[in-house]
Amino acid sequence: NVSETPRLKDKLVVVNLWRASDLRESAALHDADSALGKVGVAAGKGSVEFIGVHAPKFDYERSPRVVREAVHELGIVQPAAIDTNLTFWRSIGAFEWPTFLVLSPNNFRVLFALPPNHVHRLGKCVAAALTIYPRLETAPGSYKVAAIPRIEDEYRLHSPLSFPGKISIDTKGGRLFIADSGHNRILITTLEGRFLDQIGGFPPVPQAAVFDCPPEEPTLSSTTPKPRPSASLVNSGVGAGCSDGPFERVKFRNPQGLAYDKAKNELAVADSGNNLVRIINFETRSVRSVRMDRTAPDQATRKEAKPAGSVDKETP
């Protein structure tokens, strides 16, 4: 996805080991981008280079076509390589996707290896490595992001969906809820696949759309606007964001898990790209975010009141 080989000499190198069908990859990229931004590090600029290495888990992921399509759908704007035979994967003893590595300049020794649940530490790890190697090349990366032609076949050309993540069903109401993750939206159809409504995302789905494989006529324009490349690790794509409100204005980022509450006529959404739980209320046609309280209760308040004169067994 680049027109020139990236310059790695005298650079700290951050490697993202990923695979095309891993649902955690999008959220991990956004976490990595945020972590680097917090310490003032921009991948591909100055003394840090960022490279993605695709390490397949399943046979179909070995196809360059699948990797190119995933790069497009995930909005990856940094150099992406393919480790088809898992040579690099095995050489560093990786065992989980995605894994982020921080490599030393020139000899490329592994300084840090971060599994998915520690990606938020990437910025601090890079900052620490830069203190060890203070005299690195500070010139911007020499590569240029190349335009990736969208790979189309009959199904992809006509499908209104892009990397759908999860579904939930309202059996009584005859509705099917679809997390259309690649388009950052939630779609509602009948159980037969007839389009009913859309929440967030872009572009709007035609009212006559039928979700089957393949439809007789295109249900979405194949000229959907594509996001412009940026200096960040990933481009979220059109329609991505984080905002509450009415169906027409709300924004998600890579929505995944869904759970329907028939008693309240609400749909809970795991908005993985924003690390939030969103609640869709169909009565008010609005979306709100659930804010998690991370404040731990005071240890003292958790102890039950004891009768006067009682002795604490833990007291020596």
Side-chain angles (χ1 to χ4, degrees):
N1 65 330
V2 293
S3 57
E4 301 175 9
T5 303
R7 176 187 175 89
L8 302 181
K9 186 178 184 335
D10 296 329
K11 298 271 189 175
L12 199 68
V13 181
V14 177
V15 178
N16 172 26
L17 285 169
W18 66 289
R19 61 185 181 87
S21 59
D22 186 2
L23 296 178
R24 297 178 296 180
E25 175 60 20
S26 178
L29 281 171
H30 285 94
D31 288 346
D33 186 48
S34 175
L36 290 173
K38 289 179 179 178
V39 296
V41 174
K45 294 184 177 181
S47 54
V48 180
E49 287 287 0
F50 188 96
I51 294 178
V53 177
H54 183 268
K57 178 179 181 180
F58 304 110
D59 288 342
Y60 80 91
E61 290 179 325
R62 298 178 183 274
S63 168
R65 176 192 178 105
V66 171
V67 178
R68 287 197 299 268
E69 185 68 15
V71 167
H72 175 86
E73 296 293 347
L74 290 169
I76 295 176
V77 295
Q78 300 299 320
I82 304 177
D83 186 20
T84 305
N85 298 319
L86 299 179
T87 303
F88 179 71
W89 172 270
R90 294 192 179 99
S91 71
I92 55 100
F95 60 91
E96 190 173 7
W97 292 268
T99 293
F100 285 80
L101 307 174
V102 180
L103 306 183
S104 63
N106 300 325
N107 58 9
F108 307 121
R109 296 184 181 275
V110 177
L111 302 177
F112 299 97
L114 303 175
N117 58 329
H118 289 283
V119 176
H120 61 281
R121 299 181 177 179
L122 180 61
K124 292 183 179 179
C125 291
V126 170
L130 289 174
T131 62
I132 302 175
Y133 303 97
R135 298 182 180 180
L136 296 179
E137 173 64 54
T138 57
S142 59
Y143 66 87
K144 295 180 180 179
V145 177
I148 305 175
R150 190 171 178 82
I151 303 171
E152 301 288 6
D153 55 27
E154 183 181 5
Y155 171 69
R156 288 192 181 275
L157 178 64
H158 297 291
S159 175
L161 303 176
S162 174
F163 284 73
K166 299 290 189 299
I167 62 172
S168 187
I169 299 177
D170 172 17
T171 53
K172 184 177 180 180
R175 294 179 295 177
L176 177 66
F177 307 109
I178 306 170
D180 189 11
S181 307
H183 286 143
N184 303 296
R185 64 187 179 184
I186 305 299
L187 297 177
I188 307 171
T189 72
T190 65
L191 298 182
E192 293 74 31
R194 179 70 59 178
F195 172 75
L196 296 176
D197 208 347
Q198 171 178 339
I199 307 170
F202 180 93
V205 178
Q207 292 294 325
V210 177
F211 288 50
D212 56 13
C213 176
E216 295 180 359
E217 297 181 356
T219 55
L220 286 183
S221 169
S222 60
T223 59
T224 300
K226 296 179 177 60
R228 294 180 299 172
S230 68
S232 62
L233 305 187
V234 60
N235 199 319
S236 299
V238 289
C242 182
S243 62
D244 293 336
F247 285 3
E248 297 77 15
R249 297 181 183 178
V250 69
K251 290 185 178 181
F252 300 94
R253 179 175 283 113
N254 191 36
Q256 292 291 336
L258 303 175
Y260 178 65
D261 184 347
K262 62 180 180 180
K264 296 182 179 180
N265 194 22
E266 292 183 337
L267 183 70
V269 181
D271 191 2
S272 63
N274 290 317
N275 293 320
L276 287 173
V277 174
R278 318 288 291 280
I279 303 297
I280 299 172
N281 187 293
F282 293 102
E283 300 298 330
T284 61
R285 290 183 58 81
S286 63
V287 179
R288 69 182 188 276
S289 298
V290 177
R291 303 294 176 181
M292 302 297 180
D293 185 3
R294 297 185 179 181
T295 304
D298 188 350
Q299 296 289 337
T301 62
R302 284 193 272 179
K303 293 185 177 181
E304 296 182 0
K306 300 177 181 179
S310 63
V311 178
D312 191 339
K313 294 181 179 180
E314 296 180 355
T315 302

